[in-house]
Amino acid sequence: MGLIEAGLKYRKITLMFFIMAVILGIISFINMPRFEDPQIKVFMAQVQTVYPGASPEQVEALVTKPLEEKIDELKEVSKITSSSANGFSNIMVEIAPESDQKKAWDNMRQKVNEARLLLPSGAGEPEVNDEVNKTSCLIIHLIPPANLPVASIREIADDWKDSIKQVPGVEKIEVMGLPEQQVQIILDPSALAARRLSWTHLADALQKRNVSIPGGTLREGETGFMVEPSGEYSNLEEIKDTIIYQPVGGTAVKVKDVASVKLVHARNDVLVKSSDNSAVALAIFPKEGHTVFDVNEKVQAKIKEMKKDLPSGVEVQSVYDQSESVKKKFDELWRELLTGMGMVLLICVLGLHWQTAVMTALAIPVSVAVGFGPLASMGVDLQQMSLAALIIALGILVDDAIVVNDNIERHILLETDRYTAVLSGTREVAVSILTSTIATVAGFIPLILLRGNIGEFIRSLPLVVAVTMSASMVVSLWLVPIMRYWTAGRVKKNIREKAFGQSGPLGPFLNRLSTWYEALLSKCLKLPFLTVTVALLVSASTFMLIPIMGIQFFPYAEKSEFIIDINTPKSSSLHETEAVVGQVVRKVKEQIGVKEVFVYIGHQLPKFYYNELSGGRGETLTQLLVVSNQEPKETHQLAAKLRGELTGAIPGSRVTVRELEQGPPVGPPVSIRIKGDDLSELRTLADQVIDILKQVPGTVNVHDDMGSDTYSVKVNSSPELTARWGVAEKDIANSVRMAVDGLEISNYRKGDKLYPIVLRTSEAEDASLSNMSSIWVPSWKTGSILPLAQVATVDVGWNTGTINRHNLKRVINARAYTDGTLPDNIIKAASAKIAAIPIPKDYKIEYGGENEERDLAFAKIGKLSIVVLLLIYVIIAIQFYSLTKPAVILLSVFLAISGAVLGLYVTGTPLGFMALLGVVSLSGIVVRNGIMLVEFIEVGLKQELPLYGAILEAGKVRLRPILLTAATAVSALLPMAITGGSLWRPMAVSIISGLIFSTVLTLIVVPSVYLLITKRKLAG
């Protein structure tokens, strides 16, 4: 007794297992986490280090290079990029996709710790962030009363942060826009000079007094006592009373005698605004595995509760709520899914008896429900990629059920008893169904093996299709026969009263079509070589369309929000940047359709979208989040209008209007790397590339990432004078830093809060270029202080812009955004002129941006396509025990690819990653028809039919199921092709057009090729 017969014989037990699997699947579906987009595990980490007061060259030489060289020792590292700016180093590290992320990042932290010993004493602790892909689920703004600064709501912001952090499912909260509190010690130089002291004496006294070193455990018999040495400051008065110097027989000199001590707010280096109102931003990040809806619902309930205790005038504004975006996206995809399901059911009803149609359509929800159980255990969540995969699978989930139903009906006509008819009808097609399902799944399985960011992005798609297709096979071979057995007696009379193939309203039409197809196939079989040649030539000619088709990696996301990046000149202060931003905001607010404008000056927006990289900072950097009250199409037009009005509108500043993108992070779509050692030579080459890009129509905001040189103040000490007066270079640097930004020397702990203790020679607002020469510096010879002008000169000059590096080599990236032109077309237009630029030895020009990422992804897909075809070939070869029959069947893949190219060209759809993914998916889908045709030809030959008769009979018998399965697949994808948006439309178009083209030609080409090969074998 075989498995199929056992399932039918013990049908109640079989049905019980199906019911259990469906219930388990429904529970798994309900508990699946929900997101708007795939949760990409980015193989990237960030290392940021602050080195206050250092020039880009100093940061590069003393901070960036030592860190890079240590990190590069790791075997997992595939790419290192860095930027060294004034006082700041930022390193991005990418590891190979096959690496163990946790182990790689742990190893990198060890290397960073080793490199820390090589960094200068003034550099801060390198901060390693290996969670750059963490995306916030909710961003809110706390807005103080109009007449009060944001510092006035510090306690409220801290309370809200602590309270929301306790909500289940919340991992962390980022706060922006709130100035740091610090203990400032403002020195009185004249008081220090009168006592022949310097700031180094005061700093030394504070550091020795304020200690927090555990004393260990004291053992007294069997009892242990924790020893806590005193020394840590408990209040500001203790700081003021710290003794600096105790002369013999004289009065002690205390801190309060030579300085003032107070707890104040430091200068705010990040300004957050809701339109014109200053605000404090709270970005809430969910824990991994928690549903956005659940976390946001609980957080919103907590916010509603805390709002009741807010003082009058304090407002709360929601900036971004991911649950709203998820709901909108899910509504769209569910609508497409249900519409597709309705169309599939309609096709089944039109082409099959209504009872048969219902049972066939039942395979969809049952297969999906059965599949959700294992999918949940594989870590698949619900987002647009997994839901779109269901739509793709929708049309082919009924294929096996249609084939089984169709064959069972054929056996019922033979007047056997219903048990034998159902069993024989199922057994006869079981091997074909198994082979075709494995072949279809084989077309998707290699996509699961695609590594890197692109693999993470699409991972759920092949998993969902493969698992639900496998579930569909199980349903068709074990559940459908049971349902047909129970209904066979009721529909048997109806089937016998009609000719086979006339079930359903389309029955007569399909019958006439079958007769016409039989006549056409008969004519083609008389001239098989000519038939095959013409079909292959027509198919091959479509590939000539590829060079004139547009190529696009991923399209823009269709959303009602977009970003405006503002970069002011490198020498701009935060307030100068704020003035420029004000001009842009006013212009944006004038536009019809703008609902809100949220402003972040000095820092990028909190990460709110899956492929936006955050962490950028600096006084010259600003990001605006513009929220539209229009539909995505109108928002796209609004962004294009603003792009035209703002590009180049503010001299010296760069304003970039850009829409959110789909797919893995790419950055500027057009990016050309110029690599070498000498910055001036790199600048010369970059300027030539930029000039070429500016001449290409469709480019906007063409720039390089080095930026212009900055106006700087340089302190040049005299070795002779410093030696004469006993002044150390380190003390000069610290004295200057103390006067400009303040010098952190220790920390003050109050409760669970830690405040830096900062020495200053004046109030922050008092530091200016005019009083730089009067800065006091300590002398180790005299122990007192003297003016900086006595040992150094203060000169004004120019400083290099940002120094960038790519894999440990200096680089300048010439970049551009686009306005209505595909990046690939821009590169094509500029590449010839760029290639003509004379390149010195040891310098190199490389293409990055979208082209680089696209080429890498396309190459991976190309290699996997070969694996897919080999897998399918092996599977079919095993079924037919033949090396030629798989080649015959695989012709349908070539026909499908031709049809996909033709469909993309006719619809004006660019050839992109998703379109290519559709083509790869076709490989497994279209071979089903070829397998069924060849299988039935083989059956006819075994029944001793002549070769021509076997081919004609197989074509006639398989025409209806082939057409119905193709029609269901096409109808399921039609809603996605029409309303699926820019991401999914290319994939739907490529599958639909490829499937139609392949189905039509397969019915002619496969029988003709089979005839040619078989006749040749017989002749041999």
Side-chain angles (χ1 to χ4, degrees), residues 219-232:
R219 297 292 177 184
E220 190 71 32
E222 295 182 358
T223 306
F225 299 93
M226 294 298 298
V227 180
E228 298 182 19
S230 63
E232 215 176 6

Side-chain angles (χ1 to χ4, degrees), residues 375-390:
L375 283 172
S377 65
M378 294 175 184
V380 174
D381 46 34
L382 288 178
Q383 25 75 14
Q384 66 166 332
M385 190 64 67
S386 54
L387 286 180
L390 285 178

Side-chain angles (χ1 to χ4, degrees), residues 153-213:
I153 58 171
R154 170 177 291 280
E155 289 187 11
I156 296 173
D158 289 342
D159 289 344
W160 276 52
K161 177 184 177 182
D162 294 340
S163 298
I164 295 175
K165 182 65 179 71
Q166 302 306 313
V167 174
V170 173
E171 179 177 311
K172 65 175 182 177
I173 299 173
E174 287 184 0
V175 180
M176 290 187 190
L178 199 60
E180 181 188 69
Q181 278 189 300
Q182 59 182 215
V183 176
Q184 282 191 1
I185 301 179
I186 311 297
L187 303 178
D188 181 350
S190 58
L192 284 171
R195 293 168 174 80
R196 300 187 64 79
L197 296 174
S198 72
W199 63 263
T200 56
H201 296 101
L202 185 145
D204 185 59
L206 289 170
Q207 289 168 343
K208 289 180 177 178
R209 166 66 176 81
N210 187 42
V211 294
S212 179
I213 302 174

Side-chain angles (χ1 to χ4, degrees), residues 586-606:
R586 285 191 293 273
K587 187 68 177 177
V588 172
K589 284 185 174 181
E590 293 173 359
Q591 308 300 318
I592 297 173
V594 173
K595 180 182 178 182
E596 291 288 349
V597 181
F598 300 105
V599 182
Y600 285 72
I601 304 174
H603 202 289
Q604 286 181 309
L605 289 156

